[in-house]
Structures are given as C-alpha cells and as structure tokens.
Amino acid sequence: MHARIPTRPNLSSRCLRCMIQGQRQQSLASVATATSPSPSQFPPIMRFPPTQPPSYKPPEQRKSQLLRSYASLLRSTPLMVLFQHNNLQSTEWMGIRRELTKALRKVDDTLNTTNNPDQPRPPPSNLAEQIRIQTVQTGIFAVALRIVEFYRPSQQQPVNDPRDFTHVLSESAHSNTVSKTHKRRKHPLDPLLAGPLALLTFPEVSPAHLKTALSILSPSPPLFAAPTRRLNPPYHELNVQKGLQKLMILGARIEGRILDADAARGVGLIEGGMNGLRQQLVGILQGVGMGLTGVLENPGRQVYVTMEGRRISLEDEMKEKKEE
C-alpha cells in the first residue's frame, strides 16, 4: 500500500478565518467600550456619614457645637436682648431666673383672661417657659453672628461637587465670613461684642413680656418700675439684688434690626402688644382715609352751595318781576 502524503491546507481559507476572528474581536471591543462607562462618569464616593458632612474644623469639639447652637439661636429668635454680666455666681443666677419666670407667668395669666366677652378669645399664651436668659461665649457668638448676617450660600458660585457644603461649619462659610478679606465688613453689634455677654431670648415678639422682663432685669422707674418689697419680697433678697447690680443692658436685636437700650424699652411700651399696634395702625389708616374723603368732597360741596344760592336768587328775581 502507498503511504499517504499529508496535504497542506489552502492558504486562502486560513486567511479567511483570520479575518473573521479579527472582525469578531473588534466588534466585541467596540461593544465593551460602548457599554462600560468611563471612570469620570462615576460620582465621587462619599467617605463620610450623611448626618455628619465634612467640616472646616473638627465637629466633635465644643467650640464647633457652640457655633452651631448660636447660629441656630440667631436664626430662630425674633427678639433678643443683650446684657453684660460681671461674673454672677450660681446662686445669683438662680434667683434672677426664678423671679423672671414668676413675673412672666403672671403676664401669661393676664393675657389668657379676657374681660370683653364680645372679643374672640386669643390662643393661650405660654411664653414664660420659653423665654430664657443664658450666658454665651462672646468670640464664638460674634463668628455665628457674622455667618448668619453675611453668609448667603445662594449668592455664591453654583456647587458642582457634592462635597462642597454650605453649612455653618463648612469651609465655604468660614472663607466667606471669617477670613481676613471678609473681616472688614462691620456689623452694628460689633462694638457691643466685648466682655462677658448674656442673652435674653424670646420665641416671638411680645411687648408685654418684654416690658415685664426689663422691669425685672433692668428696672427704670416710672415706666419700668421693679416690684415693691410688699408685693414681691423674694425679689429683694440679697442674692437677687447683687446679681441685678452686675447686669447691664446693652441693646436688642428685633426681627434682624439692631436697637439700643432706649429703643428696646420703647418696644416694650406698645400698649396691647402686637394686637394693639395693629389697632393703632388701622386707626391711622382710617383717619387718613376719612381726611382724604373730606378733601375730595369739599370742591363738589362748594359748587353745590354756589349753584343752590344762584338758583334761589334767580327765583327771588322772578317773583319780583311777576309782582310788578
């Protein structure tokens, strides 16, 4: 038998298989590049808990937490009175807070009892438990005041990176308010932010409560007279009087406006509180309207009187001619 001689494969078929495999690999590579996103399309990985975003200073420090609490207090308190205190003792603070709360509760009781049954009964007032006096650290309070008054995140450049935050402890808030380039902006309270400070905060603007609080903390007779010894003997205790001698009113911040001590007392003299102020405004507007109505009616009234007088004189002349 003859030996079988192996035959070489056809070159054209080998080239065809290579071309097919190359096209298949190119198609797979194109599909892979089209479906797989680039690394730049992925959002940055947040390596911090959502409840504690990155801060310019460590948030676990007491100063950082005080800054946050002071900023929240400034944003949520419409009426705030500033006092300077000269290192009051704890017993003196206790006596002052006791007498202040007791006097404010009497104001709540007075406002909750209405004498006129025709008027609608207002909602019960319970501000005495929410009005507080507390000491603050002056330097941190000054920083919080600058952030609340001057920092406007909406006016800054748009934030593209989710790591660029605008909270109180953020680097953006620090660089736009506390940095050297922005310290030149002055606030009306800057001259008062020196030395130990105490704040008397109100949850809403109430002239009646403000007048009573100033009569207790900073009496000024006759309009802001302190309670007499006969009516309130605990107010004249030694600890309370010593503490009051170490308190001095500096000014007030009402609805974002800065007032001195005299203007703050003027707010407390508004009769009837905010309702009384609204009634006074309505009375002024009604008086202006009546005056304007009278001014507009005067020319017409004068023309009517003139024409009526002329008509009567013509009738008299006609009667005289008929008699003749």
Side-chain angles (χ1 to χ4, degrees):
M1 296 179 63
H2 297 286
R4 203 168 185 183
I5 300 173
T7 59
R8 297 179 62 185
N10 192 2
L11 294 176
S12 60
S13 62
R14 182 183 295 178
C15 292
L16 182 61
R17 287 196 299 270
C18 292
M19 291 175 61
I20 293 172
Q21 292 179 0
Q23 291 178 359
R24 186 178 297 173
Q25 292 177 359
Q26 290 180 0
S27 63
L28 292 175
S30 62
V31 171
T33 56
T35 56
S36 61
S38 60
S40 60
Q41 295 179 357
F42 287 106
I45 300 175
M46 299 298 180
R47 303 187 182 278
F48 52 85
T51 57
Q52 187 176 344
S55 303
Y56 180 73
K57 292 184 178 181
E60 64 273 6
Q61 291 184 357
R62 184 172 180 270
K63 292 182 179 180
S64 302
Q65 297 303 322
L66 285 177
L67 180 62
R68 293 179 60 186
S69 64
Y70 292 164
S72 176
L73 184 67
L74 287 167
R75 288 170 177 164
S76 60
T77 304
L79 175 55
M80 179 183 300
V81 184
L82 282 75
F83 290 88
Q84 182 179 1
H85 70 92
N86 296 323
N87 300 324
L88 276 76
Q89 299 180 2
S90 60
T91 55
E92 296 171 351
W93 277 120
M94 289 176 58
I96 291 175
R97 290 190 176 100
R98 181 194 67 221
E99 296 302 320
L100 179 63
T101 304
K102 184 168 60 175
L104 293 174
R105 285 175 180 172
K106 292 182 180 179
V107 178
D108 286 342
D109 296 339
T110 303
L111 295 178
N112 291 333
T113 56
T114 175
N115 297 325
N116 191 356
D118 297 333
Q119 294 182 355
R121 187 179 181 87
S125 177
N126 190 22
L127 297 182
E129 308 300 331
Q130 305 176 31
I131 299 174
R132 298 179 179 178
I133 183 171
Q134 58 182 334
T135 60
V136 296
Q137 292 193 12
T138 308
I140 301 177
F141 181 78
V143 175
L145 180 65
R146 295 184 65 86
I147 292 176
V148 171
E149 295 290 343
F150 297 146
Y151 182 49
R152 298 291 181 268
S154 58
Q155 300 178 3
Q156 305 297 328
Q157 296 180 356
V159 177
N160 298 322
D161 191 348
R163 291 172 294 182
D164 295 338
F165 294 94
T166 57
H167 55 87
V168 176
L169 299 179
S170 64
E171 185 177 358
S172 176
H174 177 83
S175 60
N176 287 280
T177 55
V178 192
S179 60
K180 294 182 179 179
T181 56
H182 293 83
K183 274 190 175 181
R184 298 177 181 176
R185 301 179 64 181
K186 300 297 182 182
H187 192 272
L189 280 180
D190 287 344
L192 303 180
L193 300 180
L197 288 181
L199 301 179
L200 178 65
T201 56
F202 296 76
E204 63 182 51
V205 180
S206 176
H209 290 83
L210 177 61
K211 181 179 180 180
T212 302
L214 293 180
S215 300
I216 296 295
L217 301 177
S218 180
S220 177
L223 297 178
F224 295 87
T228 60
R229 186 183 297 272
R230 182 178 179 181
L231 295 177
N232 190 3
Y235 178 78
H236 295 272
E237 291 180 356
L238 185 59
N239 289 334
V240 177
Q241 293 301 315
K242 281 186 176 180
L244 293 176
Q245 292 176 2
K246 300 177 183 178
L247 281 178
M248 181 178 65
I249 184 172
L250 299 177
R253 180 178 180 267
I254 302 177
E255 297 291 346
R257 297 184 178 182
I258 309 303
L259 305 178
D260 58 3
D262 295 334
R265 289 191 174 94
V267 174
L269 294 177
I270 298 176
E271 294 293 337
M274 297 302 295
N275 293 329
L277 186 61
R278 294 188 185 97
Q279 293 176 1
Q280 293 178 13
L281 180 61
V282 171
I284 292 174
L285 294 178
Q286 289 179 351
V288 172
M290 294 176 63
L292 181 61
T293 303
V295 170
L296 295 176
E297 288 180 351
N298 282 334
R301 188 181 294 109
Q302 293 177 0
V303 171
Y304 172 76
V305 172
T306 303
M307 297 299 294
E308 189 68 17
R310 181 61 178 168
R311 184 183 65 80
I312 293 173
S313 63
L314 290 175
E315 290 180 353
D316 294 341
E317 290 179 359
M318 293 295 293
K319 288 180 180 180
E320 291 178 358
K321 289 182 180 180
K322 288 181 180 181
E323 292 176 356
E324 291 177 355

